Amino acid sequence: MELTEFVWLVTKALIMISVIMGCAAYAVLLERKVAAVIQGRPGPNRTKIPFLGNIPVIGPIITRLGLFQPAADGLKFLFKEDPFPKHVNALYYLLAPLIAFIPAMTTMIVLPVGVYTTEAGTLAPMVLANLDIGILFILAVSSLGVYGIILGGWSANSKYPFLGGIRASAQMISYELAMGLSLLPVFMWFGGSLNLFDIAQGQNELLFGFLPQWTIVYQPLSALIFLVALFAETNRLPFDMPESETDLVAGYNTEYGSFKFGLFFVGEYAHVIVGSGAFVLLFLGGWNIPFVTYPEGILGSMLSVSVFFFKVLALVFFFMWIRWTLPRFRYDQVMALGWQRLLPLAIANLVFYAILIALIEQF
Amino acid sequence: MATKLVERKPLSLAEQTYLPQIVTGLKITMKNMLKPPVTLEYPEERPEIPTGYRGVPTLVKDPNGREKCVSCQLCEFVCPPKAIRITPGEISEESENAHVEKAPREFEINMLRCIYCGYCQEVCPEEAIFLQDIYSLSGFSREEMVFKKKKLYEIGGTLPDNHFKWGKKKDAELSGNPHH
């Protein structure tokens, strides 16, 4: 590999990481704001940075919006006292936040965020690595994140984190199956391609001239099962069994504080963002919107990226909206929903679409 | 006892999927999202204190600027947590309020003990002690939280008074019609 190419790749990776990290930080702010408006509060609106916050008109507005809050939160995570309990298994205790954080950041390398036209005139994805097994990579690597939670719960060597870790593992196993099975009809529909870019581009056309040909229109059940499993995989409410603060204090991260807790925290939000990205690419047409063809050149690429970003943001908002709407499931309900409802439903869905696609190909 | 059997209908198919219920819940939270916040932004915005609110107990002066308390010590006796301590004192002969005879030399309310019950205000025959609208109270030391007479008058101020009891008494005395 040439040096310039290598430098370019590293630069792209750094841009991607900083954007996702920034998004994760602001997702925390969004979460707090959404929680606040649903509960009739103003939310974080005091944090102010000197100079920036003192600009007339704009300064007070961004202070009210809480845009400086992520910086304050981040500083707090960095500079707070870092507790290190005596009773923990030190190696795994330190390793766990990293293991929870790294898979969430790794999955984004196969996530195309937009399109551009190459010199040859073909469309190409803006992605760090255009893997042919894209979605398999996401499924495989993002599931590794749960090891961080299990390790964190186990190495903390205390009751509640341990229970949280156990629950996380059980939940992961239960929902991973339904998640994978719900995706198979999507791949069959798009001619067996696992490449996220191909799948997103396959949803570019119109059905009967007016319906967007998004997968969610053809396969609503697959989308629903995948979405529910996504909630469970990212440990978001109503499936946040590993944390469930009402019965497990803070679950797997009870013994963690300051920066190590921050890693878990950012990892969770990065996970949510990447999961939303995958859902948008698979079911909501990626960067495609009906009746719109992007112009060539940099403008088209920018537009496609913004549309994709907007859809992901809307989905992240939906995650938060659900969180402040539904109460947490009981643990046995989570298991029953996973094994007795979603899994049979996913299998039935798979069989139905297998037959349907075979019939369509026949005639 | 008559037993009433409540009929439990089996869930319909739509209800079994939970989805319509979730959509209803989402609608409710969305409606809430569009409403303005119901909170007060405290240090800048203050709640409106209704009349009759039992805030910090204070000593008040009458419209002529005379201290109303005659150190009868009724409040000290009635105070359930024993937060009030009064040291009675004489009023000097030269003062124009000499006919009142007594005033507190020191009046202390230990705000760490006060339970804001309002008995002192209720029992006061001179309407000299009032629980007014101060509701936020803090200090850096225990000594600071024992309010002295000076501070009590400072935060109490003057309240309107229609009786002018001691003024009338003085007039009667001067016109040779003292009422003892």
Side-chain angles (χ1 to χ4, degrees), chain A residues 51 118 127 172 219 253-254 278 280 341 358 361:
Chain A
F51 305 116
T118 54
V127 63
M172 213 280 302
Q219 306 189 1
N253 58 34
T254 307
V280 166
R341 298 268 191 282
E361 279 177 0

Side-chain angles (χ1 to χ4, degrees), chain B residues 58-69:
Chain B
T58 59
L59 289 177
V60 298
K61 295 186 172 174
D62 74 2
N64 296 330
R66 198 192 63 77
E67 58 179 314
K68 290 170 101 176
C69 177

Side-chain angles (χ1 to χ4, degrees), chain B residues 105-172:
Chain B
R105 197 166 65 212
E106 188 48 88
F107 196 115
E108 284 174 5
I109 304 183
N110 187 342
M111 290 313 300
L112 297 169
R113 300 198 68 118
C114 176
I115 56 170
Y116 302 87
C117 61
Y119 282 6
C120 47
Q121 174 180 345
E122 218 169 295
V123 82
C124 183
E126 301 294 328
E127 297 182 4
I129 187 163
F130 279 90
L131 273 67
Q132 294 193 37
D133 58 357
I134 302 169
Y135 54 85
S136 81
L137 187 65
S138 58
F140 290 99
S141 64
R142 285 171 177 273
E143 291 72 41
E144 199 183 320
M145 295 307 287
V146 179
F147 283 8
K148 295 283 187 320
K149 183 173 147 183
K150 186 160 167 270
K151 170 142 194 189
L152 289 169
Y153 274 119
E154 247 166 47
I155 56 180
T158 304
L159 281 187
D161 178 5
N162 300 323
H163 308 310
F164 295 104
K165 175 178 165 191
W166 293 104
K168 283 176 190 163
K169 223 163 185 177
K170 191 167 193 184
D171 288 344

